Amino acid sequence: MAMTLEEAPWLGWLLVKALMRFAFMVANNLVAIPSYICYVIILQPLRVLDSKRFWYIEGIMYKWLLGMVASWGWYAGYTVMEWGEDIKAVSKDEAVMLVNHQATGDVCTLMMCLQDKGLVVAQMMWLMDHIFKYTNFGIVSLVHGDFFIRQGRSYRDQQLLLLKKHLENNYRSRDRKWIVLFPEGGFLRKRRETSQAFAKKNNLPFLTNVTLPRSGATKIILNALVAQQKNGSPAGGDAKELDSKSKGLQWIIDTTIAYPKAEPIDIQTWILGYRKPTVTHVHYRIFPIKDVPLETDDLTTWLYQRFVEKEDLLSHFYETGAFPPSKGHKEAVSREMTLSNMWIFLIQSFAFLSGYMWLLFW
């Protein structure tokens, strides 16, 4: 379609704005990430003397970096509306988030909506595709202790063993509390056809808005992190006494991300801001770990049930523009997630001042 004379100024301004945003993003990365690395290096003696305090400080800086990423979408008008249970109530406990995966923007959305959940972001571990290791943020994730998983059947067993070892070495030693996991193992558009063929062959639920999840990583996480009671049974979120100092993993947070008209936001849109302001909707449902089976077959069935529920939630959302009310409620209640502009200004200022300081130092 040919561009009209009336559209030319608007498209010109859109291009200029996208270039300005990209330039700021590059500058932001050039000062914030090296500054983070420099602070981590300088603080190494503290890591030896007081490891817990070191990882607390590192986590705060990590949260600020993710807050900067969240701010790029915030100022483009990409906001978040939250539905379902209030996860702030369990923000101090150990939890796993099981999230449907549609595009690269899912990660940015979570970076935004978790910023106001206390220290969740600071104490969070992400499981992400290994390709992110080679991005500008990869070195930060490596230092923080995120896990990069290589997709593909030929790598699966090896990657699960590496994940188990990674959790043993990095999760509680770095005082991590939350893990973000995308059980589908890839984007919806890439996995839907394969998932539907697998479902048809094995008489499993036929899904269109999500794909059938894989249980391997979830099983490894649960087996590694669920504390055991004296009788050997798993301790749930309401357990009073545990053998270990940590209460262990207490909650599973089933998280469903929905985009208006089923049009997900990708990382390019998040950075350049060329799409009109959009509200992304995130639904939470919290399960005590005592209600989650740990045996492989039962856990797989339980995960399938969660994604069938996601399918129904998303179908309802795409039909009505809202998630359905929770059980026992007549109306669905939504909460608008907000970021503090003053807080964003302060962390951005700190990043640029730190960059200037390290430049003078070197």
Side-chain angles (χ1 to χ4, degrees), residues 80-235:
V80 173
M81 190 71 72
E82 297 181 303
W83 302 74
E85 297 180 80
D86 186 0
I87 61 174
K88 286 183 180 179
V90 298
S91 62
K92 294 182 180 180
D93 299 331
E94 291 187 25
V96 174
M97 296 190 80
L98 302 178
V99 192
N100 62 313
H101 209 8
Q102 301 175 67
T104 49
D106 298 342
V107 175
C108 300
T109 295
L110 292 174
M111 288 180 180
M112 176 183 286
C113 64
L114 295 176
Q115 285 293 328
D116 67 343
K117 308 299 188 296
L119 292 177
V120 162
V121 175
Q123 297 177 305
M124 177 174 284
M125 179 182 289
W126 297 75
L127 267 65
M128 62 187 79
D129 192 279
H130 80 288
I131 196 65
F132 286 102
K133 184 189 297 185
Y134 308 105
T135 66
N136 59 318
F137 207 79
I139 189 170
V140 174
S141 290
L142 281 170
V143 172
H144 184 70
D146 296 328
F147 183 76
F148 299 95
I149 190 164
R150 186 182 290 271
Q151 303 294 341
R153 184 176 300 176
S154 59
Y155 300 104
R156 193 167 299 162
D157 292 340
Q158 178 197 36
Q159 291 298 298
L160 292 177
L161 289 174
L162 290 174
L163 173 59
K164 182 176 183 294
K165 185 176 180 180
H166 183 85
L167 291 171
E168 292 171 350
N169 294 336
N170 298 290
Y171 183 78
R172 292 209 168 91
S173 66
R174 303 189 182 196
D175 197 28
R176 300 295 172 243
K177 291 291 184 70
W178 282 35
I179 294 181
V180 179
L181 174 64
F182 299 95
E184 291 166 291
F187 298 141
L188 173 63
R189 67 179 187 278
K190 293 183 177 181
R191 291 210 63 246
R192 179 159 42 200
E193 186 176 342
T194 303
S195 175
Q196 290 175 344
F198 179 81
K200 185 177 181 180
K201 181 179 178 180
N202 294 277
N203 195 29
L204 294 170
F206 188 87
L207 309 174
T208 58
N209 298 312
V210 293
T211 65
L212 289 171
R214 295 166 177 170
S215 61
T218 307
K219 179 174 173 56
I220 292 293
I221 292 169
L222 296 184
N223 286 341
L225 302 182
V226 173
Q228 300 293 316
Q229 292 178 330
K230 291 183 179 180
N231 62 5
S233 61

Side-chain angles (χ1 to χ4, degrees), residues 314-338:
L314 290 168
S315 295
H316 189 280
F317 178 85
Y318 295 142
E319 291 174 5
T320 66
F323 283 113
S326 303
K327 289 184 178 180
H329 296 80
K330 294 182 178 180
E331 295 183 0
V333 178
S334 61
R335 305 172 297 277
E336 185 178 4
M337 186 270 159
T338 61

Side-chain angles (χ1 to χ4, degrees), residues 36 39-40 43 52-68 115 117-124 137 140 144 174-176 343 347 350:
Y36 165 88
Y39 281 122
V40 167
L43 290 170
K52 186 172 183 179
R53 190 175 300 274
F54 169 83
W55 288 116
Y56 174 82
I57 295 172
E58 183 278 332
I60 295 298
M61 293 191 295
Y62 183 84
K63 178 179 178 178
W64 291 350
L65 287 175
L66 268 59
M68 293 175 198
Q115 285 293 328
K117 308 299 188 296
L119 292 177
V120 162
V121 175
Q123 297 177 305
M124 177 174 284
F137 207 79
V140 174
H144 184 70
R174 303 189 182 196
D175 197 28
R176 300 295 172 243
W343 177 75
I347 61 173
F350 178 77

